[in-house]
Amino acid sequence: MTTENIRTYDVIVIGAGPVGENVADRTTAAGLSTVLVESELAGGECSYWACEPSKALLRPVLLRADAMHVPGLDPGVKNPLDVEAVLAHRNRMSTDWNDEGQVEWIKSAGIDLLRGHGRLAGEREVSVETPAGDTVRLRARHAVAVCTGSRADLPPLPEIENLRPWTSREATSAQQPPRHLVIVGAGVVGVEMATAWQALGSRVTLFARGDRLLPRLEPFAGELVTERLREAGADVRFGIAVVGAERVDDGEVRVTPSDGGEITADEILFATGRAPRAEDIGLDTVGLKPGDWLAADDSLTVTAVPGDWLYAVCDVNRRDLFTHQRKYQARIAGAVIACRARGERLDTGRWAPHSGTADIEAVPGVVFTDPEVASVGLTVSQAERTGRAVGVVDYEIGHLAGAVQYRPDYRGRARILIDRDRQVVVGAAFVGPGVGELLYSATVAITGEVPVERLWHAVPAFPTISEVWLRLLETRRDS
């Protein structure tokens, strides 16, 4: 039997992942009563099926790869990984897919949590279907924030629903390595999962539709990752799509690639993109098309809905798909909601606390492969498309004393892009073991618009990989 009651809050947040939690934390801290609505696990995709479990799988893989090249270490590091121990570590990092800890934090922050599927039901209204079958009506005095994220976007293959393919969720939560894993997709998910499962004992075949891995990054990033994957035993093929796949009676998957033939595997992972989780959240009740991305401005306000009450934060707005960037958006949205609730005017300057410009100016990202890939700001191709005049400076990281200390056979490259008119760094890319730790300095240089001549006075310690900054500046001077 369905019952209905009405509850009123200052702010309603649909989605209790890290983004929704951050929005709710900011609005609650500002004195606004806030409720989180969640249909799955509090903590969201990042905690259970993305960032945390994937990095828990990859950390032992990458540490072992480094250790194998350091003189004097026990030869035992060259032995295969203890798969059971790695998967147990991954399970712990995912809290065994139990959200009690997250729920406790939500309560301690003074935020209400309502379990169930939330849908918009008109202006400032949300309808929640609870697991018990009840319907709870919520009304917001000030704001509703949609933080529902994204889901894997599967290709339109015939009868794909019967295939039971892996998406990123299955790839990060599997309890044993498949003997043979086919991966379709050349982006971050595809290459990270190829790195992890190849090292954990799977035979990996990766199909890339284009001519390189990591196509949105500088070409040398994909080249170095491809080289290492092939050295590790992965079969990486370019210019190939999957045109058919079926699950047969014995549970195996028969895969038909576009270049002919057939491959039999235990599992197939489609890492072919993301789609908004917006098909069943009541968008039609506020004049929007179900399933669409929600366009939001720099204050994270949905531009197509009048009244400045509806916000789209995280993947669903398509501004960026990194967790750290989405949490940045959450802080902006929380500040905007609190400001408007107090009747104050927004400070909308370029670097104002109410303006999410970092989504455009400098988005940092790390791909946790062997070698690691770190990038922020523009690539050369992006600069060319926008007509930006830039100087490109490259340096082989393996020439650094700090890199050789890290791994005697260190292979890696650094690149910075310098705006010729303003003489500031507008893009940076690093490939090599441990380069993720270089990324924050690059992000500060870009967002702070630090003049290149001033960077000479930011002295890197010797012998560290960060000395690459000095070498890049010297290379620019000598070119």
Side-chain angles (χ1 to χ4, degrees), residues 45 152-154 165-172 189 268-271 274:
E45 199 81 10
D153 189 16
L154 296 175
W166 275 15
T167 67
S168 54
R169 284 197 170 194
E170 290 77 18
T172 56
V189 172
I268 182 169
L269 163 62
F270 286 106
R274 306 290 294 179

Side-chain angles (χ1 to χ4, degrees), residues 325 351 357-364 376-378 426 442-444 446-447:
Q325 211 68 19
W351 301 117
T357 52
D359 288 334
I360 302 168
E361 302 286 343
V363 177
V376 59
L378 297 175
V426 293
T443 305
V444 170
I446 294 172
T447 58

